[in-house]
Amino acid sequence: MAAPALPWPPAPIRTERLVLRESEARDRAAFIEMLASPEVGTYVGGHRTRDELERALPAVPGRRPGLFTVDLDGAMIGTVTLEKATGHFPQAAGRAELGYLFLPQAWGSGYAAEACAAALDWFASVLPGEPVVLATQTANARSMRLAAKLGFVEAERFEAYGAEQWLGEWSPTPHRA
């Protein structure tokens, strides 16, 4: 079943430490830093050069339905996406897919779990009962742990982009991370 369109943009979502909001022009430098980071690019096809990103990114990068900018104390630390899968993996095509990227300095503090859980809660309130998929490389131990913490359950493993991929599915339940 294809994921329905999400109403966008929602009001900012506030958690204990974070705000999930629409992208703004002030986030451009953080987008460039994140997308140019070799660490961030390790499991998502590699990083891009700063020069390339400076030329390619619009004044307000990431402003599109389904993309939340994750804000900590007024500064972008990452993004969470919840959007209809585009077909980069046929196994996920047409379904709502969760994705996330965070600046390396934000890793290890629980921000990704907090932001993703808030986005999933919002999604469940807007589209009750609609499942969400998440795909990641099995070699990405951090992402695999986060998927488990969020309540994603393995649906299948497959080869793509020269690596083993893991596809998990999440269904709204009252008790998650």
Side-chain angles (χ1 to χ4, degrees):
M1 173 183 214
L6 299 174
W8 200 264
I13 299 168
R14 298 180 188 288
T15 70
E16 185 177 326
R17 304 178 293 172
L18 307 170
V19 177
L20 281 69
R21 59 172 172 76
E22 191 171 32
S23 182
E24 300 172 359
R26 65 186 170 114
D27 302 321
R28 191 170 189 274
F31 265 93
I32 290 170
E33 181 182 349
M34 184 173 69
L35 297 174
S37 166
E39 295 87 1
V40 173
T42 299
Y43 300 106
V44 293
H47 68 285
R48 295 167 64 186
T49 68
R50 286 185 182 279
D51 287 345
E52 176 189 358
L53 291 163
E54 286 285 355
R55 287 189 306 273
L57 287 182
V60 182
R63 183 168 276 181
R64 68 176 196 265
L67 188 139
F68 292 99
T69 295
V70 181
D71 184 307
L72 173 67
D73 298 329
M76 178 190 144
I77 61 167
T79 61
V80 172
T81 56
L82 251 174
E83 56 197 351
K84 186 176 181 178
T86 59
H88 60 281
F89 296 123
Q91 297 83 346
R95 302 199 286 171
E97 182 176 17
L98 177 71
Y100 39 84
L101 293 175
F102 283 80
L103 290 162
Q105 59 266 34
W107 295 359
S109 298
Y111 298 132
E114 187 175 329
C116 289
L120 288 167
D121 286 345
W122 168 79
F123 183 83
S125 73
V126 174
L127 298 170
E130 186 74 26
V132 176
V133 297
L134 179 154
T136 188
Q137 287 186 20
T138 57
N140 188 343
R142 286 178 179 266
S143 190
M144 294 289 292
R145 283 192 303 272
L146 177 56
K149 183 174 185 176
L150 292 169
F152 282 84
V153 176
E154 183 173 330
E156 71 177 285
R157 292 180 187 222
F158 57 95
E159 289 288 322
Y161 305 111
E164 182 181 52
Q165 307 291 328
W166 181 90
L167 182 76
E169 188 170 300
W170 172 91
S171 294
T173 61
H175 299 90
R176 274 192 330 282

